[in-house]
Structure formats: structure tokens, C-alpha cells
Amino acid sequence: KAGVTQTPRYLIKTRGQQVTLSCSPISGHRSVSWYQQTPGQGLQFLFEYFSETQRNKGNFPGRFSGRQFSNSRSEMNVSTLELGDSALYLCASSQGEFSSYNEQFFGPGTRLTVL
Amino acid sequence: DQQVKQNSPSLSVQEGRISILNCDYTNSMFDYFLWYKKYPAEGPTFLISISSIKDKNEDGRFTVFLNKSAKHLSLHIVPSQPGDSAVYFCAAPRVGGSTLGRLYFGRGTQLTVWP
């Protein structure tokens, strides 16, 4: 079974631009969560989607948004990029909202660099 | 606010010795804890977990200890191997609700096991 895939793996943008990151969960998984990893803050929760509905959102500004499609694939968008948005963005998938945490699988992440 | 804290950013241990990684938490409502391991260019992978009804959980070379009164948990790796060199994250799920997504992560500890 293929794992969680994230595209692109690396991205370089300049301040003020916007970016869209994509996550394809494991086949059959319906829940997708997004995290931002920075050296100073560790992993910080962005949002979670289940069956195309946002179920939970972290403490990030409105420039960060996301969505989930009917095939469970998810995208996150960051508008008006700032230097501080440079980070590794991780996506995690699980089968459903009652899955146990050891059944949540992370993708390799998208490394975003904002210049 | 950092509800899960890993105060040691790095730990260096000789092969064959014990590695002890520490984690503290502030939310006394947390009732489940997880450890993840992360290699460069890969997403975090689940390692071991512990429920608050236990004070110890063992899986091969990995043992997690939980001290609820001190709001402290630790991961012991015995014996340590060079392949254990990675960043280790301590995490706890948000309290309440049925959704899976939100995990509170510590900032991680980089473990280096040298021959």
C-alpha cells in the first residue's frame, strides 16, 4: 500500500506570493491533518479534515487555509507569504475519526523556503 | 503555549548505552502520550505510546515511563544503536472530542548514537 504522498517536496517562493501544497492520503484514509515544523517551535497543528469538512483548526492566521476533496486528497494554501512561513509542512492521514493515533501516518513533508 | 515540552534539544550517547529522552507536560487532562521518531527528509513515524492508566509500556528496546504526579514521561532506549540517531518527538492528543487530528508536540530531541 502506498504511503502518504506530498507534492511538491521542495518549494522556493518570495515574500508576498502564495503557495498551494498537496497531500494524498493512504488509500482508504479519510482524515487528513496538517502540521508546520520549524526549528524553534517543533510541530504545530494547522488543521484537520475529515470527509471534506474542517474539523479542527490551530492558531494560525487566516492566510493559512485548506480544503479536502471527495477523494480525500487535501490541499493547503498560504497567501501573502512571509519569511516566517519557511518551514516543513507535514501531512498525516488516518482511516477515520476514531482511528487510534498509532494508525496515523505522516508524509515526508514539503519544504517551503520564503525569500 | 507549549503544553508538551522537551527541554533537551540534543542528546549524544555511545552505542550500547542507554538513551533517556525526557518530556514534560502542563495539561493534567492529557490521558495518552506518544513518541515519534523522525529521520531527515522523512515524516515522523509512530514509535510507542502509553495510556495514563499505566506507568510503563515496553516494546523491545523501547520503554516509556509515565509519572503523572510530576507530569513527566521519559523514553528509554536500551541498548542504543547508531540507527536510532534521529529526532524524537513527544506528543499528546487534545482532550475530548472524537476527532483524531490535533496532537500537541514537543520541540523534539535530536539523538545521536556514536559507535
Side-chain angles (χ1 to χ4, degrees):
Chain A
K1 194 184 251 191
V4 179
T5 56
Q6 292 187 245
T7 56
R9 291 295 309 278
Y10 301 92
L11 206 47
I12 299 176
K13 292 284 189 178
T14 55
R15 277 181 299 174
Q17 286 187 307
Q18 77 161 18
V19 67
T20 299
L21 312 181
S22 180
C23 171
S24 292
I26 291 171
S27 177
H29 284 195
R30 294 166 62 198
S31 175
V32 172
S33 300
W34 288 89
Y35 290 84
Q36 180 195 63
Q37 185 190 0
T38 57
Q41 295 296 320
L43 276 80
Q44 306 242 293
F45 173 78
L46 280 156
F47 21 65
E48 179 217 352
Y49 289 88
F50 178 76
S51 292
E52 301 179 64
T53 303
Q54 186 179 92
R55 293 301 186 97
N56 209 348
K57 191 176 193 303
N59 295 327
F60 280 82
R63 300 185 296 107
F64 290 81
S65 62
R67 58 179 176 169
Q68 186 180 34
F69 301 95
S70 58
N71 62 358
S72 295
R73 190 177 69 85
S74 177
E75 287 181 348
M76 66 163 281
N77 184 277
V78 188
S79 62
T80 321
L81 283 166
E82 300 177 0
L83 295 178
D85 298 333
S86 295
L88 180 68
Y89 290 88
L90 292 159
C91 160
S93 82
S94 62
Q95 193 155 18
E97 59 185 333
F98 295 104
S99 299
S100 59
Y101 282 92
N102 60 349
E103 296 169 343
Q104 184 180 53
F105 299 92
F106 283 84
T110 293
R111 171 73 62 185
L112 171 66
T113 302
V114 182
L115 302 175
Chain B
D1 62 332
Q2 200 77 18
Q3 298 196 38
V4 177
K5 302 179 184 182
Q6 293 176 260
N7 294 320
S8 297
S10 63
L11 175 67
S12 183
V13 170
Q14 187 175 24
E15 182 179 6
R17 303 270 189 166
I18 183 172
S19 295
I20 300 176
L21 296 98
N22 293 304
C23 177
D24 297 294
Y25 60 95
T26 58
N27 190 339
S28 57
M29 297 293 289
F30 285 148
D31 58 6
Y32 193 74
F33 302 90
L34 306 96
W35 284 93
Y36 286 84
K37 179 165 76 171
K38 185 180 185 300
Y39 293 116
E42 294 182 14
T45 55
F46 168 78
L47 186 60
I48 191 170
S49 62
I50 189 166
S51 164
S52 63
I53 62 173
K54 294 185 174 183
D55 54 17
K56 175 183 172 181
N57 188 26
E58 200 169 347
D59 183 2
R61 297 185 297 114
F62 303 90
T63 303
V64 57
F65 295 92
L66 175 61
N67 181 335
K68 288 189 290 290
S69 61
K71 295 194 186 70
H72 176 83
L73 60 156
S74 60
L75 174 68
H76 292 213
I77 306 174
V78 184
S80 302
Q81 299 174 354
D84 297 329
S85 297
V87 178
Y88 289 79
F89 292 98
C90 172
R94 77 180 186 114
V95 178
S98 63
T99 56
L100 181 63
R102 180 165 200 159
L103 282 169
Y104 294 99
F105 280 88
R107 293 180 182 173
T109 297
Q110 170 69 58
L111 172 65
T112 302
V113 180
W114 47 280

